[in-house]
Amino acid sequence: IEFHVIDNRLMSFLTIDEIKRRKGDLSNASIWFCGPTGFGESLKDQLKLQRFNLAHFHNELFNFR
């Protein structure tokens, strides 16, 4: 397990392309996400375009206010 904190005040927004650049092939990966709902949906949309099995995308079941 690797934990990454992304602070968009210090770096660009996280994308699936950036994750792939850091980690390589995601076909056997499991992604766990905690953050704003819209950001999570954006990542899921990007993963769909990559034909990623969304059963391996996990996110918290709450919304930030």
Side-chain angles (χ1 to χ4, degrees):
I1 295 174
E2 292 182 36
F3 177 74
H4 299 270
V5 175
I6 306 299
D7 184 342
N8 68 334
R9 295 171 297 180
L10 305 174
M11 61 187 70
S12 62
F13 287 104
L14 180 66
T15 65
I16 296 306
D17 287 338
E18 178 63 19
I19 293 171
K20 287 175 63 177
R21 186 185 71 72
R22 292 180 185 200
K23 302 315 276 171
D25 181 28
L26 299 178
S27 60
N28 293 315
S30 181
I31 297 174
W32 294 76
F33 172 79
C34 178
T37 302
F39 182 25
E41 291 302 317
S42 174
L43 290 176
K44 283 172 55 175
D45 289 344
Q46 293 173 58
L47 287 166
K48 285 179 197 175
L49 293 173
Q50 303 282 328
R51 299 191 184 338
F52 182 82
N53 181 349
L54 292 179
H56 300 286
F57 181 85
H58 311 278
N59 59 298
E60 295 293 331
L61 299 176
F62 65 88
N63 291 322
F64 285 115
R65 294 179 186 212

